Amino acid sequence: MKYPVMKKTFLALILLFAFLLRVPFFGDLPALYTDEASLGYSAWSILKTGRDEFGTLLPVSLRSFGDWKPSLSSYVMIPFIAVFGLNEIAVRAPSLLFGIGTIFLVYFLIGFGFGYHRWGLLTAFLLAITPWHIHHSRMAMLVGPTLFFLTLGIVGWVMQDRGKWWKWITVFSFGGTIYGYYSSRVIVPALLFLLLFAWRKRLLDRQWWKGWVGPMILGIIFILPLLLAFRTNPEVIFGRARHVSVFTDPSVRLRVWDNTTRDGETIASLVVRFWHNKPLAYTADILERFIQHIDPRFLFLTGDHAEPFELPGLGPMLWVMFPFFLLGFYRLVRERPRGWSVLLFWMFVAIIPASLTFLTPASNRSFFVVIPLVVITAFGTELLFIYRYRLLMIAVTILVILNVGYFLHQYYIRLPIELGVKYRYSLKNVVQSVISRQDKYEKVVLSNRAAHFIHFLFYTQQDPIKYQQTIRMNPALDKFGFEHIDGYGKYEFRQSFNWRDEPKQTGILYVAAEHEVPGDVPIGYNVREVIYYPNGKPAYEIFDL
Amino acid sequence: MISGMRRNTLVLLCIVLVSFFFRFLFLNSLPLSFQDEEAGWGVQANSIAQTGKDIFGQPFPLYWRLPESPHLPLYGYMTALSVTLFGLNEFAVRFPAAFFGALTPLVLFFLVKRLLKNEIAGFASAIFLAFSPWHIPLSRWGNEATLFVFFLTFGLERFFAAIEKKQFPAWTVLFFTLALLSDMTGFLLAPLVSLMLILSDRTKEIRNRWRIVIIGLGLFSLILFLLNPSLRLIIVEQSIFGEEINPTLWLVWVFFRNLFSVLSFEFLFFHGDERLIHGMNDIGLLFLGTLPLVFIGLYALLTKFKKQTYMILSLLVGISAVAALSRFVPDARTFLFGVIPLSTLAGLGLAVIIEWSKRVWWKRTLTFALMVVLGYNVLLAGHLYFGHYNKDSASQTQAVYKQLWVFINQHMETYDRIVLSGRTQSNLFMHGLFFLQIDPGHFQASGSKHGFDNFLIGDLSFDRIPDRRILLIAEPDFIPGKGEEIAIFSLADGNAAFIAWDIQR
């Protein structure tokens, strides 16, 4: 495949630029989140024992906090942990590499798959500077590697006639995607269905089907472990979905009930049901949640406010992209270039799982929409190069520089200061401080707000077998469906720390969030260390009696 | 056989009838809460109609005090007419809004037909507006928003008519001026739309004429603006310019956030305005079923039309920008003119769908399904408004004002003095003048906002009052040193809004 040097150079520069944007303070910013620590520890446990921390041999789904995380992210961490040890960089390295890989794949899809190289380069560049993608390339929150495999699957599908092995790549990648993130178990089948619809003319071609027989067998083999695990424990697939689904949230039911009760006083019940019923209320609710994910306020201005996805004063996309997204969308529908239907299907399908959950809009659950959004934006941006309005190009370039500069400032400087609490900064310091003191105490009591057991397992590199032997599980799930560990070894983790309920004994080291520390402390209360947030405010206190 | 033209007239007549029906049905009792602004319009209009002066003695005012903030005058003079016809009651105050609101679909039909040369789109737009869950509630209480929407739409229609006939658009000048005199949003929007029309028209001759018009309108607004400093203050206070934002560059961010809020699907298709007086609970400003139609209409507009695209999108962007300048976003009332371009888009969308679905069974089935959804939307909106609205809004304090004044009217003879207290005293006082039908001439001579006859407003220092028997109306958090509680005026949620005390010395 002949390919001009100029374009190669551009692509290399974009990938280098993407790397440089993503790599500063890689392990420390943002602070390691509980889910990342959990995935990392599971990977460490599998590496050391072949089993996760709960003793499951080569798990297809990780029990973690009772949320049954898909296991792909942990497996791809294993080589990095084997080389660099169990630390933040090793845990996040796959996200970075797969993130850069996705930028390349997107270029490949548009440039080689659809045949538009300029559009492809623009897409790669815009993805490289998109805050949403940068953030997820710096954190191990499941979606980074999954997006890579999803994109590779689509690349494989689009390229299926250009070589036999593309079909195998498609199946392998979609299989990987299913093991990557909860929502991909909805996205992959739905996307395949829509792709088959788009390629419907081929469905009657026997030769075409023949080419798929081998890859389909591989696909079945690939999915088999998940199906077998599901047969013995349905939680491995539905564990998380059940707790975050819109049908779990009572608000819609309550609204219907409220209206029904009020109307019921004066109108016949059948008529009341015609106006106020759950199917219609849920349909409207899901539709609204779907639309929240393409709301420009969410995408370009305010973004997600849930931890750990909030970016201070920023949306997940750069605001400068908004007019180009509109232009691109219009152009896409008007000109219908090759692959336009794939992009629209992708955009549509990527939001469906997120809109079936409450607490929306959610930037992680809808993360896979970033690719079609950026591709469409790039299609709009391409107009600048087609019409070559020099002044406009200069103006846009300046705006892009300003916008990226503002993002970098907010992300690398303001995030730890403004959102230190949300990102649970300084927990590593808590663990280090406790480790340095714990030998003098019989017990360490930690408030849920001050520390999480997983950070102790992670930073102390706890032996998984010893952990399994001393673990004290709490039998009750919390309101979000998470399991809790009451303690292991000499550590006790309080779900709700209340100083008044604590036995006032010596020989115990307490760790609590600053606001949980009692004002009416008895005589002999010794603050051993105060740990601060990056903005200088006190975060946690370590004390004894 | 009915000829095409006759059939169209019949359809149009039906639309207008429906429009009047939904805007006038139970007009005096729905909404139940008679708003402070409505009481103000009624009292001042009655005063003008009877004496030629407002209750504060100002002859034929340019700005109407209701009672604290100034309002542009047109709605007041319209109300003066309707009060003369129907007497001082809720219906008369609401009549101008309902009347011009009911006529707007008719005007929209002619505008869309003239602009897009598509009769079906015209009918569909008019139907959407006639049934609109956004326009109907705002047409049913005494406020000036529907007035400016009517005049601006009519002005636009006359403009295109004049262009077609190569005439000077004199009616447009008149209607735009009326729009400018009717509402604060119209005050900002009318010059903006005029400018937009001038820029849209490439005919040199017309453009030159329009230059004169814009200059005239601009000067007129400037004069109005300068005439009253409190109006200027209100515009600043109610807009984002009144927010203390640093650095000033953030204003741009706030503006865009507001703009996206005004144009958000959540606001337009799902929840509408949170304030009940601006709409209904659990429903958007537009029917959910029109969501695809708006996009289809937009696409058709972008691909099949040129000048019209500029026109309709400019109207939408113009009103959105004006609404985004408000501090209180998203606001269905400020954004009300948006119903015109959005109904036009939905109407065009429906016309496109109807054309597309001809002769192919599955397309017709899809269209039929969409019609069913739209029909359900209309029925649901009707149910929510006529079945729920008064129940939902019964918790507003205004819901008990009438009951309170009827009580005072029945007991006032027994007392030497009636004292009205509380934070809402100025609103209470306007409602008192309205429900007691106080003679405006008498009030002008002897009353003030601090009281009239044996009514005292806002003063709670009883020791200084020599009267022996006082009826005190106070908010529940005020407990006088002595006296007996004789009545409680409760809201639908059970919370007391006012308590009547009998104080004897």
Side-chain angles (χ1 to χ4, degrees):
Chain A
M1 202 177 290
K2 278 189 180 177
Y3 193 53
V5 179
M6 184 83 149
K7 283 177 188 165
K8 263 187 203 169
T9 315
F10 270 131
L11 184 62
L13 284 174
I14 289 168
L15 294 177
L16 179 68
F17 185 53
F19 179 78
L20 292 175
L21 281 181
R22 284 156 177 75
V23 86
F25 315 111
F26 188 63
D28 304 324
L29 196 154
L32 189 77
Y33 196 65
T34 44
D35 288 332
E36 295 180 281
S38 173
L39 290 167
Y41 188 72
S42 297
W44 159 265
S45 180
I46 294 168
L47 176 70
K48 294 286 169 193
T49 65
R51 295 169 186 271
D52 70 2
E53 67 269 34
F54 293 93
T56 311
L57 182 70
L58 298 175
V60 291
S61 213
L62 303 164
R63 183 167 166 184
S64 187
F65 310 128
D67 51 347
W68 296 95
K69 290 183 175 69
S71 56
L72 176 80
S73 292
S74 279
Y75 283 106
V76 294
M77 282 172 196
I78 290 172
F80 297 93
I81 291 174
V83 175
F84 302 113
L86 182 60
N87 57 44
E88 294 94 334
I89 290 177
V91 166
R92 289 174 172 177
S95 294
L96 176 69
L97 292 184
F98 282 114
I100 307 278
T102 308
I103 296 173
F104 173 77
L105 279 183
V106 163
Y107 165 72
F108 194 85
L109 176 69
I110 308 294
F112 289 102
F114 301 148
Y116 305 101
H117 289 279
R118 183 168 59 187
W119 180 13
L121 280 174
L122 274 170
T123 306
F125 174 71
L126 291 182
L127 190 61
I129 61 168
T130 297
W132 206 351
H133 193 257
I134 294 176
H135 188 54
H136 279 291
S137 300
R138 295 175 54 86
M139 289 189 83
M141 295 299 292
L142 300 166
V143 290
T146 315
L147 180 65
F148 174 86
F149 282 105
L150 181 70
T151 314
L152 185 59
I154 292 171
V155 169
W157 180 274
V158 170
M159 304 285 287
Q160 59 178 286
D161 294 329
R162 317 225 189 140
K164 261 186 192 173
W165 39 280
W166 283 115
K167 291 191 176 83
W168 294 89
I169 286 177
T170 305
V171 171
F172 172 77
S173 305
F174 281 149
T177 309
I178 284 175
Y179 286 94
Y181 190 59
Y182 309 100
S183 67
S184 52
R185 291 157 190 178
V186 176
I187 290 174
V188 169
L191 195 62
L192 273 175
F193 178 77
L194 289 173
L195 288 173
L196 281 172
F197 175 75
W199 264 252
R200 59 190 176 279
K201 285 178 187 163
R202 309 287 297 274
L203 294 181
L204 297 174
D205 181 356
R206 194 175 284 180
Q207 279 303 109
W208 184 74
W209 280 109
K210 262 189 185 171
W212 279 104
V213 172
M216 273 160 70
I217 292 168
L218 172 75
I220 291 164
I221 294 168
F222 220 100
I223 299 172
L224 215 54
L226 188 66
L227 295 177
L228 289 173
F230 173 71
R231 203 164 153 250
T232 49
N233 180 12
E235 292 287 304
V236 299
I237 290 183
F238 294 125
R240 185 74 182 132
R242 213 180 43 231
H243 296 290
V244 294
S245 113
V246 282
F247 304 107
T248 314
D249 179 33
S251 62
V252 173
R253 282 199 306 275
L254 286 175
R255 204 165 57 235
V256 172
W257 178 83
D258 181 43
N259 283 325
T260 311
T261 320
R262 277 197 294 169
D263 276 355
E265 294 167 5
T266 48
I267 309 174
S269 65
L270 203 67
V271 180
V272 174
R273 290 213 176 279
F274 178 69
W275 301 124
H276 310 292
N277 55 69
K278 280 190 251 176
L280 282 177
Y282 276 117
T283 308
D285 188 59
I286 290 166
L287 191 58
E288 186 186 349
R289 290 177 192 281
F290 182 92
I291 276 166
Q292 282 173 355
H293 289 94
I294 44 171
D295 189 321
R297 284 173 302 176
F298 163 67
L299 289 175
F300 301 97
L301 291 180
T302 53
D304 193 341
H305 293 296
E307 58 182 39
F309 306 110
E310 182 169 356
L311 306 174
L314 292 162
M317 309 275 288
L318 296 172
W319 49 257
V320 74
M321 291 178 175
F322 176 64
F324 295 103
F325 171 72
L326 288 184
L327 277 175
F329 194 83
Y330 171 64
R331 221 186 132 199
L332 191 81
V333 180
R334 186 87 201 258
E335 295 178 17
R336 299 183 188 181
R338 277 186 299 279
W340 74 285
S341 58
V342 175
L343 290 170
L344 289 186
F345 288 154
W346 189 344
M347 192 165 124
F348 173 72
V349 162
I351 306 173
I352 288 177
S355 50
L356 292 171
T357 64
F358 65 94
L359 297 174
T360 50
S363 65
N364 62 322
R365 293 180 197 144
S366 59
F367 180 62
F368 305 138
V369 80
V370 70
I371 302 288
L373 287 179
V374 169
V375 174
I376 292 169
T377 306
F379 199 43
T381 316
E382 201 193 12
L383 286 172
L384 286 175
F385 296 86
I386 294 170
Y387 292 105
R388 292 180 186 275
Y389 294 124
R390 215 167 261 181
L391 269 178
L392 194 62
M393 282 169 97
I394 293 169
V396 171
T397 310
I398 292 170
L399 283 175
V400 169
I401 292 169
L402 283 175
N403 205 173
V404 173
Y406 179 68
F407 159 69
L408 293 175
H409 170 261
Q410 290 297 100
Y411 193 78
Y412 287 111
I413 297 169
R414 298 304 302 171
L415 188 143
I417 296 169
E418 287 182 25
L419 300 172
V421 181
K422 268 195 172 171
Y423 279 85
R424 311 195 80 179
Y425 264 84
S426 310
L427 282 178
K428 186 176 181 178
N429 300 350
V430 170
V431 179
Q432 284 166 345
S433 177
V434 169
I435 291 168
S436 67
R437 295 167 208 283
Q438 64 183 4
D439 293 342
K440 298 177 213 157
Y441 299 90
E442 293 162 21
K443 204 158 66 170
V444 182
V445 172
L446 302 111
S447 146
N448 189 34
R449 289 178 189 279
H452 198 281
F453 74 91
I454 198 67
H455 283 93
F456 275 85
L457 292 177
F458 186 90
Y459 287 119
T460 58
Q461 311 208 341
Q462 176 72 40
D463 178 1
I465 295 171
K466 273 192 187 164
Y467 168 65
Q468 284 163 30
Q469 286 163 354
T470 59
I471 184 171
R472 296 186 290 282
M473 291 283 295
N474 188 312
L477 302 181
D478 73 7
K479 61 179 177 179
F480 296 110
F482 289 115
E483 289 176 346
H484 287 271
I485 304 292
D486 284 340
Y488 72 90
K490 64 160 69 173
Y491 302 114
E492 285 191 9
F493 299 96
R494 299 275 190 268
Q495 270 194 68
S496 55
F497 180 82
N498 191 339
W499 174 246
R500 290 181 199 287
D501 300 338
E502 289 299 327
K504 315 291 189 292
Q505 292 169 1
T506 52
I508 301 177
L509 184 67
Y510 292 98
V511 184
E514 200 272 339
H515 65 275
E516 292 176 312
V517 177
D520 54 342
V521 283
I523 299 164
Y525 165 89
N526 306 306
V527 176
R528 297 296 172 190
E529 190 175 352
V530 178
I531 290 171
Y532 295 89
Y533 284 122
N535 60 7
K537 288 188 179 164
Y540 313 110
E541 278 195 18
I542 297 171
F543 59 97
D544 62 14
L545 292 173
Chain B
M1 285 288 281
I2 307 174
S3 71
M5 197 174 160
R6 208 162 153 205
R7 188 190 57 207
N8 288 352
T9 315
L10 270 174
V11 174
L12 203 55
L13 190 69
C14 287
I15 293 171
V16 174
L17 281 176
V18 164
S19 180
F20 268 86
F21 178 78
F22 281 119
R23 281 156 184 83
F24 278 90
L25 186 68
F26 312 126
L27 186 64
N28 57 344
S29 58
L30 201 166
L32 184 67
S33 303
F34 193 60
Q35 296 300 307
D36 305 333
E37 208 175 309
E38 294 181 286
W41 282 124
V43 168
Q44 294 286 38
N46 187 42
S47 181
I48 295 282
Q50 289 194 27
T51 67
K53 295 176 185 171
D54 72 6
I55 56 165
F56 303 109
Q58 173 82 28
F60 296 103
L62 186 58
Y63 296 102
W64 287 47
R65 291 163 65 190
L66 305 178
E68 282 154 0
S69 58
H71 282 246
L72 287 158
L74 192 66
Y75 194 82
Y77 289 108
M78 298 268 186
T79 314
L81 269 178
S82 86
V83 164
T84 310
L85 283 173
F86 306 112
L88 183 60
N89 53 47
E90 290 97 330
F91 179 84
V93 174
R94 291 170 175 174
F95 180 82
F99 182 74
F100 287 101
L103 282 179
T104 312
L106 180 70
V107 177
L108 180 64
F109 165 76
F110 287 113
L111 173 67
V112 175
K113 189 183 157 195
R114 202 176 287 284
L115 193 63
L116 302 179
K117 311 284 179 225
N118 186 326
E119 219 158 43
I120 296 176
F123 281 126
S125 309
I127 289 170
F128 287 135
L129 186 59
F131 286 109
S132 167
W134 179 7
H135 194 256
I136 290 174
L138 280 166
S139 303
R140 291 181 59 95
W141 69 277
N143 76 96
E144 58 270 48
T146 46
L147 221 60
F148 102 82
V149 172
F150 172 81
F151 285 119
L152 214 53
T153 314
F154 208 176
L156 279 168
E157 196 278 331
R158 287 293 86 199
F159 174 79
F160 295 115
I163 293 284
E164 269 177 23
K165 293 172 191 164
K166 297 193 173 168
Q167 288 174 347
F168 179 72
W171 284 108
T172 306
V173 178
L174 173 69
F175 290 138
F176 276 19
T177 310
L178 290 174
L180 192 130
L181 286 169
S182 51
D183 182 85
M184 210 66 86
T185 315
F187 188 82
L188 297 171
L189 198 62
L192 197 69
V193 175
S194 311
L195 185 73
M196 187 196 94
L197 291 177
I198 291 187
L199 294 175
S200 78
D201 188 60
R202 310 278 167 171
T203 324
K204 207 174 175 184
E205 193 190 356
I206 302 284
R207 182 151 53 169
N208 285 337
R209 282 176 179 175
W210 263 96
R211 270 189 195 147
I212 301 161
V213 177
I214 187 77
I215 291 164
L217 272 176
L219 277 177
F220 187 43
S221 8
L222 193 66
I223 292 161
L224 281 174
F225 188 68
L226 294 174
L227 268 176
N228 194 317
S230 57
L231 182 76
R232 206 168 50 209
L233 194 70
I234 280 185
I235 290 180
V236 172
E237 268 180 4
Q238 295 191 349
S239 70
I240 54 173
F241 303 110
E243 287 193 42
E244 285 179 16
I245 300 169
N246 285 314
T248 316
L249 191 65
W250 273 107
L251 267 181
V252 179
W253 190 90
V254 173
F255 174 78
F256 277 104
R257 186 199 60 194
N258 287 359
L259 190 69
F260 291 150
S261 296
V262 164
L263 291 171
S264 71
F265 295 128
E266 213 174 348
F267 178 56
L268 292 175
F269 296 99
F270 290 95
H271 293 301
D273 200 319
E274 285 174 359
R275 287 158 293 187
L276 266 177
I277 196 63
H278 290 175
M280 294 178 250
N281 270 342
D282 289 340
I283 197 163
L285 300 181
L286 302 165
F287 295 121
L288 193 52
T290 57
L291 177 63
L293 296 181
V294 168
F295 280 97
I296 293 166
L298 184 65
Y299 181 71
L301 195 71
L302 288 168
T303 49
K304 291 180 184 159
F305 299 90
K306 272 189 181 168
K307 195 171 170 184
Q308 295 89 332
T309 310
Y310 163 80
M311 197 62 64
I312 292 168
L313 291 187
S314 304
L315 285 177
L316 187 59
V317 171
I319 180 61
S320 309
V322 170
L325 288 174
S326 168
R327 277 174 86 166
F328 313 103
V329 284
D331 180 348
R333 182 175 162 180
T334 317
F335 188 46
L336 184 62
F337 187 70
V339 77
I340 299 298
L342 288 167
S343 297
T344 307
L345 288 177
L348 179 61
L350 191 60
V352 170
I353 290 262
I354 289 170
E355 186 61 36
W356 169 79
S357 64
K358 276 180 184 167
R359 289 184 292 276
V360 182
W361 69 269
W362 65 268
K363 291 180 179 177
R364 261 185 296 177
T365 315
L366 267 182
T367 310
F368 178 73
L370 182 70
M371 294 293 191
V372 170
V373 171
L374 282 171
Y376 182 81
N377 283 168
V378 170
L379 290 174
L380 181 65
H383 169 70
L384 289 177
Y385 192 73
F386 291 99
H388 282 231
Y389 190 79
N390 271 349
K391 289 182 205 167
D392 290 342
S393 59
S395 300
Q396 292 183 332
T397 315
Q398 287 86 349
V400 296
Y401 280 176
K402 188 172 184 178
Q403 187 193 348
L404 176 72
W405 282 102
V406 169
F407 175 84
I408 293 173
N409 199 21
Q410 286 164 355
H411 293 79
M412 58 194 287
E413 298 300 326
T414 328
Y415 292 91
D416 304 320
R417 181 75 66 178
I418 295 147
V419 180
L420 304 164
S421 83
R423 292 175 288 274
T424 52
Q425 45 183 273
S426 57
N427 300 327
L428 255 178
F429 137 71
M430 273 294 185
H431 280 82
L433 293 181
F434 186 90
F435 289 116
L436 297 180
Q437 310 242 330
I438 302 291
D439 175 31
H442 174 64
F443 183 85
Q444 284 163 18
S446 60
S448 77
K449 64 178 182 180
H450 302 297
F452 55 94
D453 295 342
N454 59 339
F455 285 85
L456 187 64
I457 296 157
D459 196 336
L460 292 175
S461 44
F462 295 101
D463 297 341
R464 289 192 291 107
I465 302 172
D467 307 287
R468 302 182 72 186
R469 198 158 180 205
I470 299 167
L471 174 64
L472 169 70
I473 307 292
E475 281 162 349
D477 53 1
F478 181 80
I479 298 168
K482 52 189 171 182
E484 188 191 343
E485 188 182 299
I486 53 169
I488 299 174
F489 301 93
S490 298
L491 302 168
D493 57 13
N495 289 325
F498 296 101
I499 295 176
W501 298 86
D502 179 6
I503 298 169
Q504 294 187 45
R505 293 197 173 105

